[in-house]
Amino acid sequence: MDPHRPGYGDDEYAKVADYVYSHGQGSPRLRRPSSRGSNRNYPHFDWDPAASGEDVDDEEVDGGRESGQELRELRTVPLPMVLKRAVRQVQEMHVPVASSRMTSWKQKKRKMLKKIRNVAGEFLHFFMLWRKSLQQIGGNFGGGVQSYFLLLRFLVLLNLVSFLLIAGFVVIPSIVLRSVHSGPAYHTGPEECMKYDPNPQGLVAFYNYVLDFLSGTGFMEYSYLFYGYYGNTLVGDGNLSYNIPLAYLFTAVFYFAFCLICITARMGTAARVAVATGGGAAGNYSMMVFTGWDYGCLGDRATKLKQKNIRYRLQVDLEEQLVKKRAASLTLPQKVVLYSLRIVMGFVALGLIGAACYGIFMATVFSQERSGQIGILGLILEYLPSIVITAGNFLVPLLCEQIALVERYAPSTAVILALLRSVFLRLVSLGVLLFTLWGQIKCQADTGKCDLCQYNHQEYPCWETRVGQEMYKLTLFDLIVTIVALVLVEFPRRMLVDNWSNKVARWVGRQEFVVSANVLDLVYGQTVVWTGALFCPLLPLINTAKFVIIFYCKKVTLFSNCRPALKTFRSTTSNFFFLMVLLFGWTVATLVMIYSVAEIRPSMGCGPFRVFPYMWAIVPTSFHRLSEVTRDFLFFVGSQAFLVPLFALSCVVMCYVIALAAVYGKIVTLLRAQLKQEGRDKQFLVKQIENMSRQLQIPTRDFA
């Protein structure tokens, strides 16, 4: 950009020249005196380190720190964007004359590394999963709907990396060791407890393979998909040894830790955005007015949709303020009636959730008692708990939404309360299913069956595989329901609404794409995978394929059948809330894993832990096989001499972080108060100017 081109006035040219010369970066062709007007109106800054009395060769005059400081301070200069770009180009063209070879080499290396980083970022961005599809969704439906698909992509990558972890440490070593070490696995215990033969005998009809695939039995049961197929192989020589049971347990632990780290890192980003954009009503209004528009919207449809969303957000805030005013104006008897009504409706909602959980309990007991059926009837009985869980997750939230209308909460509070009830229902239903299975495995109804093997070996010869099959069926049934709903419900509904114009069709309308409900479906599906990963190691791979199929199904139904919901969450808090729900699901699955590892006796006829009283017993057993130096080191790490100083250091660091966070919080509060005070000062000055204009009879202007 040439400052001498047409469109630059003398003042603008002088501003660029004064700015450049004040930094010691003047170009010979720009050497001309500046006008008085520019000297009077433009603030001068002396950023040249040499001019401030510092040594040019000092280590602080580093190229990266100089350029970063100049770039940050250039942003604060009150100049038009065109002039800032001109100054930036002059700075980039500047080559220091008096610089050492080391400084020149550092600058060249910094530029080369920056160029390599930019090229690598562009290369990775080009191969980013579903990049164009996400841009298309965000441009047509806004960032709220796009956040659902971003979370879906995050879960796909999370499950894919988790599968690679499990495959690298468990599946592939098991395949290799099974081919090399073909000897039988060693067993200990009564002979009746070790009876387990899942292989089908004789010829099997083709449709039985389909039924086995859907239920996880037959040829699917005794495969690398489930826990029972993995052996308790321990291979070792003088230089190398590999312990399959220990690798199986530690891989599960690392898998859960890896998921926790990924979720926490993503929550940190969402929390920073939520804190930065938080505040009172005035702050929300300002944020919506100045930063609420989505410049990625493409077309008239997306523009109108974004306008409606902004209008709805303003409407929600106004309704909340109105509800607060009405609540403040209520008399004591009216408050008593309102709170009593909310308490009663809360108990009604809990009653509905309890009824759904009781139905799941009865369906699970009925299904397990008649698990020997074959054919289509047997398949229906196998999927009966999944069917009841899906029906409860569909019907109970609809009834809770009607209850929320009676409770008369604020709009945002009503949405959050409905979501919390839905989350509680989904996770509790999963817990009831596992509790019922564990009750039958541990013979809570008839303890005589568990006297010999400490678990019900007659009905559950390999109970870990049975639990894995239940999680496998829940995952598969969720995918089947999504596809069936797309083909048999959503497409016919769209055709009915588009082709008929009667009152029923207008009342039904097109289906809304409710982001919160779809996100809860993802959270529920991922929680099922976490719960069953210990018993079904390939479940993350199945869930990866499931989420990929769901992505394309949701994309098709979004563009063809649905219209996005006008009533949406606040985007600044919804992402953090959804990740909190995902973290809560991870916590539930972690408790399930801990209980299974530490409390229940492993099956004696299958799996890597068949010879141990509980799964965690492999850890102390393997510990005593380590070398003396390693044992001494681990004993020292677990001793008081190491843990007490570590605890003290952790407390000191935690106190420092808490104090730092408190200071930052006070600074943020002061800055917000300062912004509010500046707004009041501006309003006061505008009123004073208007009053003076009326007194002096000066034509008024719109100063706002």
Side-chain angles (χ1 to χ4, degrees):
M1 183 179 296
D2 187 4
H4 286 294
R5 70 177 185 181
Y8 269 94
D10 292 336
D11 292 340
E12 285 78 1
Y13 178 87
K15 289 179 181 180
V16 177
D18 291 342
Y19 181 86
V20 174
Y21 280 121
S22 66
H23 294 69
Q25 296 181 353
S27 177
R29 66 188 184 90
L30 290 176
R31 293 179 180 176
R32 54 175 292 185
S34 60
S35 62
R36 293 183 178 179
S38 63
N39 291 332
R40 181 177 62 252
N41 297 327
Y42 178 67
H44 293 273
F45 301 93
D46 188 8
W47 292 349
D48 191 4
S52 60
E54 298 179 1
D55 188 5
V56 178
D57 295 332
D58 191 73
E59 190 65 26
E60 292 183 359
V61 190
D62 186 74
R65 297 175 64 180
E66 268 189 28
S67 59
Q69 182 183 5
E70 291 177 359
L71 181 59
R72 287 192 300 270
E73 296 189 4
L74 177 60
R75 294 173 181 171
T76 61
V77 176
L79 281 177
M81 186 59 67
V82 177
L83 299 181
K84 288 186 178 182
R85 290 174 180 170
V87 172
R88 185 62 181 165
Q89 288 184 0
V90 172
Q91 289 179 347
E92 291 177 353
M93 290 187 297
H94 171 67
V95 179
V97 179
S99 60
S100 62
R101 292 183 179 180
M102 181 60 67
T103 305
S104 178
W105 178 78
K106 287 182 178 180
Q107 291 178 353
K108 290 181 180 179
K109 185 181 71 172
R110 185 178 66 254
K111 291 181 180 180
M112 183 179 64
L113 292 177
K114 183 179 179 181
K115 185 176 181 180
I116 293 174
R117 185 168 59 251
N118 293 335
V119 172
E122 293 177 359
F123 180 78
L124 295 177
H125 180 72
F126 179 77
F127 288 99
M128 188 177 294
L129 184 63
W130 297 323
R131 176 175 57 89
K132 293 184 179 180
S133 298
L134 292 173
Q135 290 178 353
Q136 186 181 7
I137 292 171
N140 288 278
F141 295 92
V145 178
Q146 188 185 28
S147 63
Y148 164 78
F149 289 92
L150 288 174
L151 179 62
L152 182 56
R153 184 180 66 178
F154 167 73
L155 293 178
V156 167
L157 297 177
L158 181 66
N159 284 277
L160 181 60
V161 176
S162 302
F163 163 71
L164 295 178
L165 176 68
I166 296 173
F169 289 96
V170 177
V171 180
I172 296 177
S174 297
I175 295 174
V176 173
L177 295 180
R178 182 178 289 270
S179 61
V180 174
H181 181 73
S182 58
Y186 51 93
H187 303 265
T188 58
E191 185 177 355
E192 295 182 2
C193 299
M194 294 184 291
K195 292 181 179 180
Y196 176 65
D197 186 16
N199 294 319
Q201 303 295 329
L203 297 177
V204 179
F206 176 75
Y207 75 91
N208 286 332
Y209 286 105
V210 178
L211 298 179
D212 291 339
F213 173 78
L214 295 175
S215 59
T217 57
F219 75 97
M220 295 283 292
E221 181 174 354
Y222 200 64
S223 64
Y224 288 103
L225 180 62
F226 293 108
Y227 166 92
Y229 190 72
Y230 294 88
N232 53 355
T233 307
L234 175 60
V235 178
D237 53 19
N239 299 323
L240 178 64
S241 64
Y242 201 86
N243 193 336
I244 290 295
L246 189 64
Y248 193 99
L249 181 61
F250 278 5
T251 301
V253 174
F254 290 153
Y255 164 61
F256 276 80
F258 169 74
C259 294
L260 176 63
I261 293 172
C262 294
I263 295 172
T264 306
R266 196 175 180 90
M267 282 182 61
T269 304
R272 285 192 295 268
V273 174
V275 171
T277 56
N284 289 330
Y285 295 147
S286 300
M287 184 178 61
M288 276 186 280
V289 171
F290 293 106
T291 65
W293 186 252
D294 188 358
Y295 290 94
C297 295
L298 304 175
D300 295 337
R301 179 185 178 187
T303 302
K304 292 180 180 178
L305 177 64
K306 190 62 181 179
Q307 291 174 350
K308 291 180 180 179
N309 283 333
I310 294 176
R311 183 182 64 184
Y312 172 73
R313 291 169 61 187
L314 292 171
Q315 180 182 352
V316 166
D317 286 336
L318 294 176
E319 288 180 0
E320 289 181 355
Q321 297 298 324
L322 183 60
V323 169
K324 291 179 180 179
K325 289 183 178 180
R326 290 178 179 175
S329 62
L330 291 177
T331 60
L332 182 59
Q334 291 175 339
K335 289 182 179 180
V336 171
V337 172
L338 179 61
Y339 292 148
S340 302
L341 181 63
R342 289 178 178 177
I343 292 173
V344 172
M345 291 296 102
F347 280 111
V348 171
L350 289 177
L352 292 175
I353 296 175
C357 293
Y358 180 75
I360 295 169
F361 171 78
M362 296 302 298
T364 305
V365 173
F366 185 80
S367 174
Q368 297 298 317
E369 290 177 352
R370 292 163 176 79
S371 59
Q373 297 288 338
I374 60 175
I376 302 298
L377 179 60
L379 181 65
I380 295 175
L381 291 175
E382 289 283 346
Y383 272 91
L384 185 60
S386 302
I387 294 172
V388 175
I389 289 175
T390 304
N393 292 338
F394 176 75
L395 295 176
V396 175
L398 293 180
L399 298 176
C400 289
E401 288 181 2
Q402 302 302 319
I403 291 174
L405 297 177
V406 180
E407 292 173 326
R408 292 187 293 176
Y409 283 108
S412 61
T413 306
V415 172
I416 293 176
L417 187 61
L419 290 177
L420 290 176
R421 287 170 177 170
S422 299
V423 171
F424 182 74
L425 170 65
R426 291 172 184 269
L427 297 182
V428 168
S429 62
L430 185 61
V432 169
L433 173 63
L434 293 172
F435 176 78
T436 307
L437 287 175
W438 284 334
Q440 296 190 356
I441 291 170
K442 298 183 69 175
C443 307
Q444 292 182 355
D446 186 7
T447 57
K449 296 181 180 180
C450 297
D451 293 338
L452 181 62
C453 305
Q454 301 178 13
Y455 65 94
N456 191 353
H457 67 283
Q458 298 177 358
E459 299 180 6
Y460 302 95
C462 187
W463 65 266
E464 296 92 346
T465 297
R466 181 64 68 88
V467 176
Q469 287 172 348
E470 293 297 331
M471 299 301 106
Y472 169 79
K473 287 183 288 187
L474 284 175
T475 302
L476 195 60
F477 188 74
D478 191 14
L479 177 61
I480 293 174
V481 168
T482 301
I483 298 175
V484 170
L486 173 65
V487 176
L488 300 182
V489 177
E490 296 173 0
F491 274 116
R493 179 175 178 177
R494 192 259 299 176
M495 295 174 62
L496 176 68
V497 173
D498 291 347
N499 297 324
W500 286 10
S501 59
N502 53 13
K503 295 182 179 180
V504 176
R506 289 194 298 270
W507 177 75
V508 172
R510 279 203 173 192
Q511 180 182 357
E512 289 187 351
F513 191 87
V514 183
V515 177
S516 57
N518 285 278
V519 168
L520 291 182
D521 291 337
L522 295 181
V523 172
Y524 169 73
Q526 186 60 43
T527 305
V528 170
V529 172
W530 282 328
T531 305
L534 181 65
F535 314 108
C536 184
L538 297 185
L539 199 57
L541 177 62
I542 297 174
N543 201 45
T544 302
K546 169 194 165 183
F547 280 162
V548 170
I549 296 173
I550 287 179
F551 179 89
Y552 289 104
C553 289
K554 293 296 182 181
K555 180 183 175 182
V556 169
T557 192
L558 177 65
F559 284 95
S560 302
N561 305 325
C562 296
R563 59 182 178 89
L566 298 179
K567 296 184 177 182
T568 58
F569 246 18
R570 287 193 180 96
S571 59
T572 55
T573 57
S574 60
N575 293 331
F576 183 77
F577 174 75
F578 292 146
L579 290 172
M580 281 292 296
V581 174
L582 187 64
L583 183 61
F584 186 67
W586 177 90
T587 305
V588 172
T590 303
L591 294 177
V592 172
M593 185 194 70
I594 293 174
Y595 182 79
S596 302
V597 167
E599 290 294 329
I600 306 181
R601 176 69 165 82
S603 300
M604 297 184 184
C606 66
F609 307 99
R610 65 189 71 182
V611 298
F612 297 101
Y614 49 91
M615 294 184 185
W616 186 253
I618 185 63
V619 177
T621 303
S622 302
F623 176 79
H624 292 292
R625 296 176 182 174
L626 298 174
S627 63
E628 185 177 357
V629 176
T630 306
R631 289 200 304 268
D632 293 340
F633 173 75
L634 293 178
F635 274 125
F636 171 73
V637 170
S639 64
Q640 297 179 355
F642 179 81
L643 293 179
V644 172
L646 180 63
F647 178 75
L649 180 62
S650 302
C651 292
V652 171
V653 173
M654 187 180 299
C655 292
Y656 172 75
V657 172
I658 293 174
L660 195 63
V663 171
Y664 286 157
K666 291 180 180 179
I667 293 175
V668 171
T669 303
L670 292 175
L671 290 176
R672 287 177 179 170
Q674 183 178 356
L675 288 175
K676 293 181 180 179
Q677 185 63 36
E678 289 179 356
R680 297 190 188 99
D681 293 342
K682 181 180 177 181
Q683 294 176 359
F684 174 76
L685 293 175
V686 169
K687 291 180 180 178
Q688 292 294 324
I689 293 173
E690 290 178 352
N691 294 332
M692 293 179 63
S693 300
R694 294 192 191 99
Q695 294 176 2
L696 300 176
Q697 295 182 354
I698 300 175
T700 60
R701 297 176 60 186
D702 188 5
F703 294 98

